[in-house]
């Protein structure tokens, strides 16, 4: 009997997904490469200072996640116009996103700059549970250093919001290679500043974690300027466009509102776990945090697939072709599972050299050999990436069909209601330390991934049945 491939696995569709997802994944990976570069330079010259960077990501990461969600409408609405051959009208979408990004970035910067110090004093001095690991590290110092790092990083938020608008817009116009090249320019700028301010090259006094924060802020603004120039030069971003439909402005914000809530839940949940790890000890935070650098880098592969799947689903949805919508989503899920198996094998085979690249092979904190401890967590890390990737692809595909709020409910339930208590229980109450934190994260991602995939398969099918019944 001759094997017949499913309709979602047509070679042309696979090629189209790869054409979009590979450049986007490489581009998105540059964002994580900045973080990994920071971690590697710190790991070689000042490994004990990583917790100050990781803890700062609670307010910074939540702000970035919110912005990425609220600005997603730039990509979705531009892709819809492209799907019906009207991409030349998309300038109004870009300009609306631009001004919103400016306002959002300025407000978030002010809030974080003013609120960082009282927030971290509350977290590390007022509510932290009694712990010999944290007490021995001086909670007052931890709060102060984290606050200073957070303030510096907040100065780059407006630049990040603007670069996100540009990236979304260029990718929706099927120009992802431009974004990729510029993002790696940002990685290079970040590395140069890291070597100067963290490693102390060229005779500059090393600043440790604060140097990393300045590197992140400086590189964000550098790539933002270049992306704005590209959008102005190579796209209809600044060209006059006809007035859009009456509800377009509302839709542009509404499409991303659910994503923003989901991102706040996911990023807030994940970044809250770094605080919990610090309550255990700075060593636990360092091991857990470096493991998440690997997870974050791997997640960029899934984010590329998710973004490409979102564009393909949005284009099919704009054409009102339910079969293509379904097949585009299923192809994204299949690509995710294959990627997860591949990355899991890489983690298992190359775990030890990966860990030693991140931290000095001889580095020890509080009696913990960091590289060995990181390697021991990579099996759990592989599970986290697989299920986190699955939930990302499924939720992106649903939002491209304007199914907004149910994915957000899953994110809140998984990454707030479940993950934070689970990580605390396994890591602190049960005393499993960094391993317990990873168990809690893996459990929460599994719930999120399976739930989002079930919704992706169920909701569009119900919508199609309702349409056929009319």
């Amino acid at each position: 009997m001759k094997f017949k491939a499913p309709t979602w696995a047509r070679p042309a569709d696979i090629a189209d997904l790869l054409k979009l997802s590979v450049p986007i994944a490489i581009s998105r990976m540059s964002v994580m490469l900045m973080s990994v570069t920071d971690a590697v330079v710190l790991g070689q010259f000042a490994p004990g200072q990583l917790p100050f960077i990781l803890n700062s990501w609670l307010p910074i990461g939540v702000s970035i996640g919110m912005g990425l969600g609220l600005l997603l409408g730039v990509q979705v609405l531009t892709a819809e116009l492209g799907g019906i051959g009207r991409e030349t009208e998309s300038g109004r979408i870009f300009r609306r996103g631009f001004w919103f990004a400016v306002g959002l970035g300025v407000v978030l910067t002010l809030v974080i700059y003013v609120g960082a110090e009282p927030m971290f004093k509350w977290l590390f001095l007022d509510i932290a549970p009694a712990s010999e690991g944290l007490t021995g590290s001086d909670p007052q110092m931890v709060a102060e250093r984290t606050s200073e790092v957070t303030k510096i990083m907040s100065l780059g938020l407006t630049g990040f919001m603007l670069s996100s608008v540009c990236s979304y817009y260029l990718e929706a116009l099927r120009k992802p290679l431009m974004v990729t090249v510029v993002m790696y320019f940002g990685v290079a700028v970040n590395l140069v500043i890291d070597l100067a301010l963290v490693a102390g090259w060229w005779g500059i006094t090393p600043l440790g974690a604060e140097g990393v924060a300045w590197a992140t802020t400086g590189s964000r603004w550098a790539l933002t300027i270049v992306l704005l120039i590209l959008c102005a030069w190579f796209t209809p971003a600044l060209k006059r466009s006809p007035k859009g439909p009456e509800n377009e402005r509302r839709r542009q914000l509404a499409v991303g509102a659910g994503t923003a809530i989901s991102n706040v839940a996911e990023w807030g949940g994940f970044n809250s776990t770094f605080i919990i790890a610090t309550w255990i000890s700075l060593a636990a935070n360092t091991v857990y945090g470096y493991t998440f650098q690997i997870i974050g880098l791997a997640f960029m592969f899934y984010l590329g697939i998710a973004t490409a799947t979102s564009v393909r689903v949005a284009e099919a949805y704009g054409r009102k072709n339910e079969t293509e919508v379904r097949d585009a989503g299923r192809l994204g899920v299949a690509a995710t599972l294959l990627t997860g198996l591949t990355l899991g094998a890489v983690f298992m085979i190359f775990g030890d050299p990966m860990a030693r690249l991140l931290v000095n092979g001889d580095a020890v904190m509080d009696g913990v050999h960091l590289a060995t401890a990181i390697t021991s967590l990579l099996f759990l890390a592989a599970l986290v990436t697989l299920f986190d990737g699955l939930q990302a692809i499924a939720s992106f595909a649903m939002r491209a069909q304007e199914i907004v709020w149910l994915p957000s409910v899953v994110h809140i339930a998984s990454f707030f209601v479940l993950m934070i208590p689970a990580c605390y229980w396994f890591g602190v109450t049960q005393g499993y330390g960094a391993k317990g934190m990873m168990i809690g994260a893996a459990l929460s991602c599994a719930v999120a991934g399976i739930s989002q995939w079930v919704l992706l398969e169920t909701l569009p099918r119900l919508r199609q049945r309702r349409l056929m019944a009319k």
Side-chain angles (χ1 to χ4, degrees):
M1 182 177 178
K2 187 177 179 180
F3 172 76
K4 184 178 180 181
T7 57
W8 51 263
R10 290 187 293 262
D13 290 333
I14 295 173
D16 189 49
L17 180 67
L18 290 173
K19 180 181 176 181
L20 275 174
S21 63
V22 172
I24 292 173
I26 294 173
S27 173
R28 292 290 190 268
M29 195 173 294
S30 65
V31 177
M32 195 60 210
L33 277 175
M34 291 184 190
S35 178
V36 171
T37 298
D38 296 338
V40 168
V41 176
L42 270 179
Q44 299 303 319
F45 294 93
Q49 296 194 33
L50 181 67
F52 309 136
I53 297 293
L54 295 177
N55 291 330
S56 75
W57 274 92
L58 179 55
I60 297 296
V62 167
S63 298
I64 287 175
M66 180 190 301
L68 287 173
L70 293 176
L71 297 169
L72 182 63
V74 172
Q75 185 177 75
V76 173
L77 269 64
T78 301
E80 286 183 7
L81 288 174
I84 56 177
R86 292 167 54 188
E87 61 271 9
T88 56
E89 301 178 14
S90 62
R92 65 177 182 268
I93 307 296
F94 174 86
R95 293 188 292 274
R96 192 180 294 137
F98 175 93
W99 290 114
F100 184 74
V102 170
L104 181 64
V106 170
V107 169
L108 289 173
T109 297
L110 291 173
V111 170
I112 291 174
Y113 199 91
V114 172
E117 189 171 344
M119 181 183 73
F120 287 113
K121 284 185 177 179
W122 177 69
L123 286 170
F124 293 122
L125 297 175
D126 296 339
I127 68 168
S131 166
E132 292 183 3
L134 181 56
T135 303
S137 302
D138 184 1
Q140 179 72 33
M141 179 274 294
V142 173
E144 290 177 356
R145 292 290 301 277
T146 303
S147 299
E148 185 60 29
V149 167
T150 304
K151 289 179 181 180
I152 296 170
M153 292 184 70
S154 73
L155 300 177
L157 281 176
T158 302
F160 182 88
M161 300 303 169
L162 289 172
S163 67
S164 298
V165 169
C166 295
S167 298
Y168 278 150
Y169 188 60
L170 288 166
E171 289 165 358
L173 293 175
R174 290 181 171 260
K175 300 180 187 294
L177 188 57
M178 285 187 180
V179 180
T180 302
V181 172
V182 175
M183 296 302 286
Y184 278 89
F185 163 75
V187 172
V189 172
N190 187 73
L191 176 59
V192 170
I193 303 175
D194 270 339
L195 293 174
L197 299 184
V198 182
W201 285 23
W202 307 297
I204 298 174
T205 302
L207 299 178
E210 286 82 356
V212 165
W214 282 117
T216 300
T217 296
S219 58
R220 279 179 180 163
W221 277 108
L223 63 87
T224 295
I225 291 169
V226 177
L227 283 170
L228 286 170
I229 292 172
L230 290 178
C231 285
W233 193 269
F234 292 105
T235 76
L238 303 184
K239 295 179 180 178
R240 295 187 63 179
S241 53
K243 186 177 180 181
E246 187 175 334
N247 69 337
E248 185 181 74
R249 184 182 299 273
R250 180 194 60 79
R251 283 188 62 227
Q252 184 166 340
L253 183 61
V255 165
T259 305
I261 294 173
S262 295
N263 286 349
V264 167
E266 181 176 2
W267 293 39
F270 273 119
N271 289 307
S272 293
T273 65
F274 294 130
I275 304 293
I276 297 172
T278 306
W279 289 347
I280 299 170
S281 69
L282 290 184
N285 178 290
T286 301
V287 171
Y288 180 70
Y290 273 111
T291 305
F292 258 91
Q293 296 300 310
I294 298 173
I295 290 172
L297 192 61
F299 183 72
M300 297 303 106
F301 289 97
Y302 300 110
L303 191 56
I305 298 170
T307 305
T309 298
S310 175
V311 170
R312 297 184 74 247
V313 169
E315 290 176 344
Y317 188 73
R319 293 191 293 267
K320 302 187 184 304
N321 189 319
E322 291 287 340
T323 300
E324 289 184 7
V325 168
R326 179 200 64 205
D327 288 347
R330 287 181 175 175
L331 179 58
V333 170
T336 296
L337 296 176
L338 180 60
T339 300
L341 293 173
T342 303
L343 289 174
V346 170
F347 284 11
M348 295 299 98
I349 296 171
F350 300 105
D352 187 61
M354 288 166 63
R356 291 178 183 274
L357 175 64
L358 284 171
V359 297
N360 188 309
D362 298 324
V364 176
M365 287 183 67
D366 300 331
V368 177
H369 186 262
L370 297 180
T372 301
I374 293 167
T375 303
S376 70
L377 297 183
L378 289 184
F379 174 74
L380 289 168
L383 294 179
V384 171
T385 62
L386 173 61
F387 287 112
D388 199 25
L390 181 60
Q391 69 82 18
I393 271 71
S395 61
F396 271 52
M398 283 189 283
R399 291 194 181 96
Q401 304 169 60
E402 300 188 22
I403 301 172
V404 175
W405 298 110
L406 275 177
S408 301
V409 171
V410 172
H411 277 106
I412 293 170
S414 302
F415 298 121
F416 253 96
V417 177
L418 177 59
M419 185 164 68
I420 294 175
C423 286
Y424 186 90
W425 192 78
F426 284 112
V428 178
T429 305
Q430 296 300 307
Y432 295 156
K435 182 178 180 180
M437 302 290 297
M438 289 300 302
I439 292 173
L443 175 64
S444 306
C445 286
V447 170
I450 294 171
S451 300
Q452 300 283 32
W453 174 64
V454 170
L455 287 175
L456 176 64
E457 281 293 311
T458 304
L459 295 179
R461 191 179 303 170
L462 293 176
R463 180 182 65 219
Q464 189 172 16
R465 287 177 181 174
R466 286 197 300 268
L467 290 173
M468 292 175 63
K470 289 184 179 179

